[in-house]
Structures are given as C-alpha cells and as structure tokens.
Amino acid sequence: MKFIPEEGKHLHEDCSTLILPAVSIGNVGQLTADLLVSSMGSEKVGYLDDPYVLPCVGNDAYGPVPNGDLALPIEAYDSPSNALTIIQQRSPVIKGMMLEFAKNMADFIAGSGKKHIIILSSLDFGKWQKVDMSSGLQIYYLSSANSNGADENCEQLGWKKLQDYDPSQKHWKYLNDLAEGNATPEDTISIEDELEEENYYASLPFAALFSFLKAKGLKVTCLLCYCSEGDNTSDAFQLADAACKLLKPNQPNTGIEGVKWRVSLSWMSVYGPPPDVSIF
C-alpha cells in the first residue's frame, strides 16, 4: 500500500488517532466517515493506492459545490484541531483478498505513527440474537485493551462488548495467528467454514483489520451497529456520535445532541433526482 500526498501536504504527526471504515452491510462505516470528514474541518492530505481495492472514481464528495476534484477509492483526511486522521474507503476489496488488504493497511498505519485506531463498521441485523431496541440503536464494541475484547472506557459509555468474540474460537484464532505470522497451511479457513454461523463475525472485514492492527501493538477499538440494507443515514449519525464520545474531540458540541452534523455533498445524489410527477 502506497500513500500519495496531495501537493504540498502530508500526514500531520500530531494526528495520533485514526478512524477507518470497514466496508460491510449498509455501508454505515463509510457514511459515518463522510459525516466526520464534513463536520470536523478536515482537509484531504492524500490518497492510498492498494492493488487489492477495486478502482473507482467520482466527483468531489464534500463540496460545498462539485468543483471537479476527483474522489478516489481510498483517501486520507486530517483534522489537526482534533488530532485526528480519517481514512475514507469508497470501493470494496477484491473478493478473496481481504486478509492481504488488512495486512497492507496495518503495515501502513503502523508505519505512519498512529497510536489509536477506531474501526467503524456494521453487522447484519438478521444475525442479531438478542434484540433490544428499548434504548434505541445499541452500539457494540471490540477492543484490544484486553485479551477478551473488553474495554472499561467503552463500558462506561454504555456500550456492549460484541458477545460473539471468542479469541479461542477457530476463525478468530486463525486471524490472530496469521497476523502474528504463526499460521500454518493446516490452519487455513475454507469458504465452507466461513459460511458457518459461528464464523460470521470473524469473516467480516472489520475482524481482519482488527486482528492485523492489534498484532502491530496498536490500540484498536471497533465501533459496531446492527443494520439492514437500505437508507442507513440515521445509523451513520448514531455511529458518528459514538465515535465523538470516544474521541472527546476539541470541537465543542459536535454530534447529534449539539450542533447538527454537516452532511457531505455526495449524499444529495444517493437516490438520484425525484421522480417526474407527470408519470403518476
């Protein structure tokens, strides 16, 4: 993975925390990254080139007007006032190449001097075993702070640890061994294994990123929510608010409870123009 800086720009050394979406159902992590980039006074400092990410190109995603600047598959944004770097990933990883991509991303992040990595992603609502919507959207987390994935700070914020995380379970153990360079050919996980119910969470992109980043000795926190395909902008607002609670950014009143989030320009064209009323 290669970082190509914008002309005259670079990754700020003071931005010790990095936020990274893991592409998953509903694209909630990517939508959340949009909100954070648009609302935190971020500037694009460059983009990342990786052979395992599908190519794509589009118009400027953040505006305030579409001035023709190209948006590429993986871009890096810095918010020095919040000591924060945000990576936005707009296209998926090539099928079967997620582990290679996660290794490349972990190598880049570790080499860039970041201290705390926050991974934003979503989980299939159909896999939720104990549904509790009494308090609205529930945020789940997974942390490298302890071997069992628990984190006291996240618990104090009212979030629940991802209950299905078991580092001794075969697929999670395989990811950990692979990230640490201890996996053997006999440990290889087959496609049939990935389809098993107990392997659902460990087969997702966030799990690969979490394992490889953790193996680098970095502090890693995954923020997760359950969702379905469709309009998941409301989930993105909730996940962005959760990220801000974890970050405690210098920017006051950031979040849905304070000043409104700034929606990115790209959201205006998510569903295209309204239908022509003459057809009704």
Side-chain angles (χ1 to χ4, degrees), residues 55-95:
C56 73
V57 67
N59 203 346
D60 180 26
Y62 300 112
V65 293
N67 55 14
D69 290 340
L70 294 182
L72 298 173
I74 311 179
E75 294 180 333
Y77 295 81
D78 271 358
S79 176
S81 61
N82 292 303
L84 177 66
T85 295
I86 304 166
I87 288 180
Q88 177 61 295
Q89 181 181 340
R90 295 192 173 87
S91 63
V93 174
I94 296 172
K95 186 176 181 180

Side-chain angles (χ1 to χ4, degrees), residues 16-73:
S16 59
T17 299
L18 183 142
I19 287 183
L20 170 70
V23 179
S24 186
I25 184 170
N27 305 107
V28 178
Q30 295 156 290
L31 292 171
T32 304
D34 273 345
L35 287 173
L36 295 170
V37 169
S38 298
S39 306
M40 289 193 162
S42 306
E43 62 169 352
K44 184 163 68 173
V45 292
Y47 65 93
L48 295 166
D49 184 33
D50 189 88
Y52 301 118
V53 176
L54 291 171
C56 73
V57 67
N59 203 346
D60 180 26
Y62 300 112
V65 293
N67 55 14
D69 290 340
L70 294 182
L72 298 173

Side-chain angles (χ1 to χ4, degrees), residues 147 165-174:
S147 60
Y165 176 68
D166 179 1
S168 64
Q169 191 264 343
K170 180 180 179 181
H171 203 138
W172 283 109
K173 186 177 185 303
Y174 170 68

Side-chain angles (χ1 to χ4, degrees), residues 106-239:
D107 288 342
F108 162 72
I109 293 175
S112 65
K114 305 302 180 185
K115 305 299 183 185
H116 185 193
I117 316 304
I118 300 173
I119 299 173
L120 306 174
S121 195
S122 46
L123 311 169
D124 186 354
F125 193 89
K127 302 291 185 180
W128 199 358
Q129 300 296 322
K130 299 179 181 179
V131 180
D132 179 13
M133 299 297 291
S134 59
S135 57
L137 179 71
Q138 176 65 55
I139 300 296
Y140 288 83
Y141 77 89
L142 184 61
S143 172
S144 64
N146 293 287
S147 60
N148 65 351
D151 188 311
E152 183 179 352
N153 184 38
C154 292
E155 294 287 339
Q156 291 176 350
L157 290 170
W159 304 333
K160 297 179 180 179
K161 193 195 83 171
L162 186 65
Q163 294 180 341
D164 294 87
Y165 176 68
D166 179 1
S168 64
Q169 191 264 343
K170 180 180 179 181
H171 203 138
W172 283 109
K173 186 177 185 303
Y174 170 68
L175 286 176
N176 185 67
D177 289 345
L178 189 66
E180 294 181 352
N182 299 324
T184 64
E186 291 76 19
D187 297 327
T188 303
I189 300 295
S190 67
I191 295 177
E192 289 76 15
D193 289 334
E194 290 190 353
L195 295 176
E196 293 182 9
E197 190 74 21
E198 66 176 6
N199 293 329
Y200 166 69
Y201 297 97
S203 68
L204 295 178
F206 87 87
L209 290 166
F210 174 77
S211 299
F212 277 90
L213 288 164
K214 180 165 66 75
K216 292 290 184 181
L218 299 169
K219 179 182 179 182
V220 189
T221 306
C222 300
L223 297 183
L224 312 163
C225 68
Y226 285 91
C227 75
S228 302
E229 292 288 5
D231 184 356
N232 294 303
T233 53
S234 60
D235 300 310
F237 283 115
Q238 299 267 15
L239 200 58

